[in-house]
Amino acid sequence: MTTDRLRELLKEKGLKVTPQRIVIFEAVVNLKNHPAVENIIEYIKIKHPNISIGTVYKVLDSFVENGLLKKVKSENDIMRYDAVLHHHHHLYCATTDRIEDFEDPNLDKLINDYFRKKKIKSFNIKNITLQITGEFNNK
Amino acid sequence: MTTDRLRELLKEKGLKVTPQRIVIFEAVVNLKNHPAVENIIEYIKIKHPNISIGTVYKVLDSFVENGLLKKVKSENDIMRYDAVLHHHHHLYCATTDRIEDFEDPNLDKLINDYFRKKKIKSFNIKNITLQITGEFNNK
DNA sequence: CTTGGTAAAGATAATAATTCTCCTTTAGGA
DNA sequence: TCCTAAAGGAGAATTATTATCTTTACCAAG
Ligand SMILES: [Mn+2]
Ligand SMILES: [Mn+2]
Ligand SMILES: [Zn+2]
Ligand SMILES: [Zn+2]
């Protein structure tokens, strides 16, 4: 995601293009591992020491509302953010709090086909996401 | 789960059998829909008005640690508890915060077989849980 | 059955992530 | 350039949860 593209998206959504929004969005994109607000603040503090914490929360919230970011809930009660917008799953390591993306269209097809045949009574499925917990090997 | 069985389990785990533990466990079992601490407190307040909130948190924590309950994380940052211990999935309704159990051994087999063939590089899967979001129809 | 050691309960203060309030600043269209 | 709604900054408030400290009571040993 380029900064110019972000400017376009903000305009499309009727959101003003502010330096804070640019910086916060870039932080989420650059920080891998689905950063928490704390990580984002730490990251932007270096170059932009006077962005208020409340602003970070508000900006992230509006990004999520407008589909520029997605929320990722973690094991503990802190929210994390994801700039990868297309459907994907997550690999969770409970011991390190590391979260990595996992995509597999074949698996998605398998599951979707399964539920197309065997519907759940009295429930309309909107989305199915796998929470794959375990341990990362190396690295 | 009967109260006598709970007494046994507590003893097995080296936990003292206290009236608070009995009452709190029964609350989680009787309250369906994966109660939050708030629901549990509300429920037990009727018959046992002097159980401390801190005790509820501590008891639930020790139950989770000792495998008598499981945590279920919800959309917002409040923890919810589950007395159903065997492997199962959850149906989430984002609008009502309702959470229902969903079991499907066939689906589990399908997914397990899939990952037995196609392993994820550098990740050891411990558990796979589906987060099925959508809307409940009737009721 | 009584007792003593200790785990657990109760009360309340402290934390910490998040939200709110209120005021000031600024983006961006006219 | 001006106007104004939108957005940002500062700090208080909220709220789920945790920590601390004192008191109670479970239960094993005698
Ligand atoms: Mn919170
Ligand atoms: Mn919290
Ligand atoms: Zn992701
Ligand atoms: Zn459940």
Side-chain angles (χ1 to χ4, degrees), chain B residues 6 18 28 32 44 52 55 59 62 64 67 95 97 104 110 113:
Chain B
L6 175 61
T18 68
V28 179
K32 314 296 183 196
I44 65 184
S52 159
T55 297
V59 165
S62 82
V64 171
T95 57
D97 269 343
D104 193 333
L110 195 72
D113 287 349

Side-chain angles (χ1 to χ4, degrees), chain B:
Chain B
M1 166 79 68
T2 164
T3 299
D4 282 346
R5 177 77 189 118
L6 175 61
R7 297 184 116 89
E8 282 177 23
L9 284 172
L10 288 173
K11 277 182 187 161
E12 276 176 32
K13 301 288 182 176
L15 299 173
K16 286 186 178 172
V17 177
T18 68
Q20 292 86 346
R21 283 183 170 150
I22 305 279
V23 165
I24 291 168
F25 194 89
E26 282 175 350
V28 179
V29 172
N30 292 338
L31 287 164
K32 314 296 183 196
N33 197 27
H34 307 78
V37 174
E38 197 188 340
N39 308 123
I40 296 166
I41 290 170
E42 191 184 8
Y43 182 89
I44 65 184
K45 270 281 162 62
I46 301 165
K47 294 206 165 183
H48 304 83
N50 16 352
I51 295 181
S52 159
I53 291 175
T55 297
V56 178
Y57 278 100
K58 274 183 287 189
V59 165
L60 289 170
D61 238 35
S62 82
F63 282 172
V64 171
E65 252 172 57
N66 290 279
L68 299 181
L69 289 180
K70 287 202 296 185
K71 284 188 176 185
V72 178
K73 49 175 183 290
S74 63
E75 295 306 311
N76 35 31
D77 83 344
I78 68 173
M79 197 53 69
R80 295 171 68 166
Y81 294 86
D82 197 341
V84 178
L85 296 175
H86 61 258
H87 177 73
H88 66 285
H89 308 284
H90 286 134
L91 306 176
Y92 287 83
C93 176
T95 57
T96 63
D97 269 343
R98 190 167 149 197
I99 301 175
E100 296 240 332
D101 290 334
F102 176 75
E103 300 178 38
D104 193 333
N106 291 331
L107 177 61
D108 290 337
K109 186 175 179 341
L110 195 72
I111 293 171
N112 287 336
D113 287 349
Y114 182 86
F115 278 111
R116 197 160 4 249
K117 275 175 231 151
K118 183 190 172 304
K119 290 225 188 329
I120 303 174
K121 66 307 164 213
S122 70
F123 192 80
N124 266 37
I125 298 174
K126 201 176 297 169
N127 179 270
I128 297 177
T129 304
L130 271 67
Q131 297 238 144
I132 306 169
T133 56
E135 298 284 338
F136 292 96
N137 293 333
N138 55 359
K139 206 86 221 306

